[in-house]
């Protein structure tokens, strides 16, 4: 038997999954870690927590599978993107906590860049809008605010990385300071046309180039793990940011194919092939996970609060004891009773890009119950995703293409049948859930398997993808349009506040 190990370092937990050659899950281990909220709008992780939980789950997964490390053909890594770390090259010690992708502290820097007329420059070079979501302004904040950081950076003593780089530094004992093209494309410092760090963008944010990792294709030799970690010097052969990895794991290899991942946030990506397309509808352009060759791109829309709204129901409102209870509670009422929940807890992402927005619940009456709020919370995930796909459809048509005809879905919340049916009803197209919903980790495993020769090419991976269930729309397009209009009205009220 041939096995691949995927390390999946997410926003709320670290997971390790062993896959067989057919892409089936053999075993999975998971550990949650602490979320740190120093003040409103700030979100941090302890870098040591990311590393330790990831290592522990890798050991757990091998133990549960009854496998020795030398039975693993290759290792793939996928990770929460944009989360920003800086550490000392000599000691390996982090300079501060990791600043998480959700964190908004760099918004003032972004506003100054926008006011200074830099938006088009950044957009044309990177495909990204200027927003605190991306790594570059987080890195600038660390250099400007952590005592000694800038001086050490200018002496070449520090390393910057997204979470993949941090893990590979640890796994290789500090021998490799690397990232892949998909993670690099999320920093606002990487030119996606030249496939290199951009001197103008580095200068714009006052970032010394010595901080930056080497950028490789997503399927490449990233280094070998120190044998003491798992028991053998396993090769890291695949790396991709979580959403590009999920697109790859869904076998969306050609232009026009799309997937939506329902995790802490929601991330909708549509492959556009080798065409770099700037969105006219509030989306961003990103580099896909890709083996060596011509650059390939996708349009992406990011919902900051997706499944996290269910965590809020659990931990904030105490409406449920576990996230799995939300479907039954939401199904206990036939609809949301006019309640609309806009979960703008950290601002609104695409296609709105309203960083100052905050969450709201509208349409409450004396008859409103927790069940209505729970259903409105689920609907908010589908509403935000539908707004993204509508924006993508407009971009696709403008570029001479056609709207997406089906949406492939993955991520933990896609197992919620009610949510998937609501999504299909709003979109008016089939929503297809694959047999393996762990497509984020699967994409990393596939990338590693391609590099190590387990797979002969993309055609082989395309043939392995299989649907588990298709949700067909049952709502009239008129009624779906009315519901979307109700949602957009609630969003406008949120923005106005």
């Amino acid at each position: 038997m041939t096995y691949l190990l995927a390390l999946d370092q997410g926003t709320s937990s670290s997971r390790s999954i062993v896959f067989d050659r057919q892409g089936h899950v053999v075993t999975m281990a998971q550990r949650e870690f602490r979320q740190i909220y120093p003040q409103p709008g700030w979100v941090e992780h302890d870098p040591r927590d990311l590393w330790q939980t990831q290592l522990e789950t890798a050991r757990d997964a091998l133990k549960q599978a009854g496998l020795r490390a030398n039975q693993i053909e290759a290792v793939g890594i996928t990770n929460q993107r944009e989360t920003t770390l800086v550490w000392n090259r000599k000691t390996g010690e982090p300079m501060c906590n990791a600043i998480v992708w959700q964190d908004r502290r760099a918004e003032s820097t972004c506003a100054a860049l926008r006011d200074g007329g830099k938006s088009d420059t950044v957009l044309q070079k990177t495909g990204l809008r200027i927003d605190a979501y991306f790594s570059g302004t987080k890195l600038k904040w660390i250099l400007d605010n952590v005592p000694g950081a800038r001086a050490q950076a200018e002496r070449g003593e520090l390393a910057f990385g997204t979470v993949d780089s941090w893990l590979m530094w640890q796994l290789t004992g500090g021998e490799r300071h690397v990232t892949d093209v998909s993670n690099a494309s999320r920093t606002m410092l990487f030119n996606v046309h030249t496939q290199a760090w951009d001197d103008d963008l580095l200068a714009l944010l006052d970032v010394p180039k010595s901080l930056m990792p080497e950028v490789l294709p997503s399927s490449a030799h990233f280094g070998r793990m120190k044998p003491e970690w798992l028991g053998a010097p396993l090769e890291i052969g695949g790396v991709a940011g979580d959403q590009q990895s999920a697109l790859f794991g869904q076998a969306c290899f050609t232009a026009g194919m799309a997937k939506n991942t329902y995790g802490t946030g929601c991330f909708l990506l549509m492959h556009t092939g080798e065409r770099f397309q700037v969105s006219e509808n509030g989306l961003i352009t990103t580099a896909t996970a890709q083996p060596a060759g011509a650059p390939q791109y996708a349009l992406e829309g990011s919902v900051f609060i997706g499944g996290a709204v269910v965590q809020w129901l659990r931990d904030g409102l105490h409406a449920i004891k576990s996230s799995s209870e939300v479907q039954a509670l939401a199904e206990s009422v036939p609809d949301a009773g006019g309640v609309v929940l806009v979960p703008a807890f950290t601002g609104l992402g695409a296609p709105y890009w309203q960083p100052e927005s905050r969450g709201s619940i509208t349409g409450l009456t004396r008859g409103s119950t927790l069940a209505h709020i729970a259903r409105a919370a689920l609907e908010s995930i589908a509403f935000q995703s539908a707004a993204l796909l509508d924006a993508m459809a407009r971009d696709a048509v403008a570029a001479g293409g056609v709207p997406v005809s089906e949406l492939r879905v993955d991520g933990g919340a896609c197992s919620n049948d009610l949510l998937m049916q609501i999504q299909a009803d709003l979109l008016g197209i089939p929503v297809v859930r694959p047999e393996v919903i762990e497509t984020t980790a699967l994409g990393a495993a596939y990338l590693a398997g391609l590099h190590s020769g387990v797979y002969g090419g993309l055609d082989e991976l395309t043939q392995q993808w299989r649907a588990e269930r298709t949700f067909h729309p049952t709502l009239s397009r008129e009624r779906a349009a009315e519901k979307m209009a109700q949602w957009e009205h609630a969003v406008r009220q949120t923005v106005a506040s």
Side-chain angles (χ1 to χ4, degrees), residues 154-172:
E154 289 172 352
R155 292 196 297 267
E157 297 172 1
L158 302 183
F160 152 76
T162 42
V163 172
D164 58 308
S165 297
W166 169 247
L167 292 179
M168 286 186 282
W169 179 280
Q170 299 292 338
L171 290 167
T172 64

Side-chain angles (χ1 to χ4, degrees), residues 481-494:
E482 289 172 6
K483 290 176 75 69
M484 285 302 300
Q486 187 181 28
W487 163 259
E488 295 292 348
H489 177 70
V491 167
R492 286 193 296 274
Q493 289 179 295
T494 304

Side-chain angles (χ1 to χ4, degrees), residues 424-440:
D425 286 343
L426 289 175
L427 295 177
I429 60 173
V431 168
V432 187
R433 186 167 63 199
E435 285 183 357
V436 178
I437 65 170
E438 301 295 346
T439 54
T440 302

Side-chain angles (χ1 to χ4, degrees), residues 407-431:
L407 182 65
R408 295 185 176 186
V409 297
D410 53 62
C414 88
S415 59
N416 187 309
D417 291 348
L418 175 60
L419 173 58
M420 293 300 98
Q421 187 59 55
I422 292 170
Q423 191 70 85
D425 286 343
L426 289 175
L427 295 177
I429 60 173
V431 168

Side-chain angles (χ1 to χ4, degrees), residues 125-126 181 184-185 187-192 195-197 201 215:
K125 285 175 177 281
T126 69
V181 64
S185 78
T187 60
M188 231 169 71
L189 297 168
F190 185 75
N191 189 314
V192 294
Q195 303 275 285
W197 301 117
L201 295 174
V215 183

Side-chain angles (χ1 to χ4, degrees), residues 92-108:
E93 286 296 306
M95 291 294 291
C96 57
N97 280 338
I99 301 181
V100 179
W101 58 271
Q102 299 159 312
D103 189 284
R104 305 303 300 174
R105 75 185 67 182
E107 174 53 31
S108 60

